[in-house]
Amino acid sequence: MIYGPFAPRYGAGQTVATSTSSGSTTIGAGNKCLRLQNLDGTNTIYVRVTEGAGTATTADLILRPNQVIIIQKDQAFDTVSHIASASTPNLRIEPGEAGI
């Protein structure tokens, strides 16, 4: 199996400030992957991807400080909910596709 690189949906990336209360960001439907980056060097961010509004908790997907990950998602999912362990770290969200 050959894996290709992440192909971003240009113009759709967003940087959002998180907080210790759950917040949501609309990303639009259609892509099967997200590249998520915790831009903070100290605080953890947790995310949940849903169709429509959702609420993130500390039991969801963890993004450690400065971590970058690519996740798969349902194409219908159009919202990223996020919550921080402390402070207001920035979260970078980039929809796209990962080649196989």
Side-chain angles (χ1 to χ4, degrees):
M1 184 178 291
I2 298 172
Y3 292 94
F6 179 77
R9 186 174 80 210
Y10 291 104
Q14 302 179 56
T15 300
V16 297
T18 64
S19 75
T20 55
S21 297
S22 181
S24 294
T25 301
T26 302
I27 55 170
N31 292 104
K32 293 182 270 184
C33 292
L34 292 175
R35 180 168 46 198
L36 303 169
Q37 182 176 7
N38 181 346
L39 299 174
D40 189 84
T42 306
N43 298 294
T44 300
I45 300 172
Y46 302 87
V47 298
R48 176 183 294 200
V49 184
T50 57
E51 183 176 5
T55 301
T57 72
T58 56
D60 291 326
L61 177 68
I62 188 171
L63 278 168
R64 291 177 177 81
N66 294 317
Q67 185 177 20
V68 180
I69 61 172
I70 297 172
I71 63 169
Q72 290 182 313
K73 69 170 193 67
D74 187 293
Q75 284 185 287
F77 288 7
D78 61 357
T79 305
V80 175
S81 298
H82 40 76
I83 190 168
S85 60
S87 191
T88 57
N90 285 330
L91 170 65
R92 180 71 182 166
I93 305 167
E94 297 173 336
E97 303 294 334
I100 295 179

